[in-house]
């Protein structure tokens, strides 16, 4: 959540930048590589959504595995 605005200093992440840039439209990667990113990203995203800090429930709208 820091990538859209890494210089934001009023909280853990910039809500306006997150609203504009996330969720990620397409994530592509190899099975072994992408599976842990997906696991971690989904856990953090679902937690932040449950805390009503972000508006989306899934970090990626489309996942494409290669290999």
């Amino acid at each position: 959540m820091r990538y859209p605005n890494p210089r934001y200093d009023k909280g853990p992440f910039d809500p306006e930048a997150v609203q504009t840039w996330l969720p990620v439209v397409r994530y592509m990667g190899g099975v072994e590589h992408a599976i842990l990113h997906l696991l971690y990203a989904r856990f953090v995203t679902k937690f932040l959504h449950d805390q009503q800090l972000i508006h989306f429930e899934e970090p990626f709208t489309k996942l494409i595995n290669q290999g």
Side-chain angles (χ1 to χ4, degrees):
M1 305 298 162
R2 294 284 302 174
Y3 284 110
N5 185 355
R7 292 182 177 82
Y8 186 75
D9 61 359
K10 296 180 179 105
F13 55 85
D14 182 348
E16 288 182 23
V18 168
Q19 177 81 19
T20 300
W21 291 101
L22 297 173
V24 173
V25 175
R26 185 174 299 129
Y27 184 92
M28 294 181 0
V31 174
E32 297 84 9
H33 183 76
I35 197 158
L36 286 178
H37 286 179
L38 180 60
L39 180 68
Y40 299 142
R42 289 190 78 210
F43 176 82
V44 170
T45 301
K46 289 187 179 291
F47 173 78
L48 292 174
H49 182 266
D50 288 348
Q51 299 299 311
Q52 300 178 348
L53 296 172
I54 58 175
H55 68 283
F56 50 93
E57 293 184 44
E58 292 289 339
F60 315 114
T61 57
K62 187 171 186 174
L63 175 67
I64 300 171
N65 285 331
Q66 300 171 342

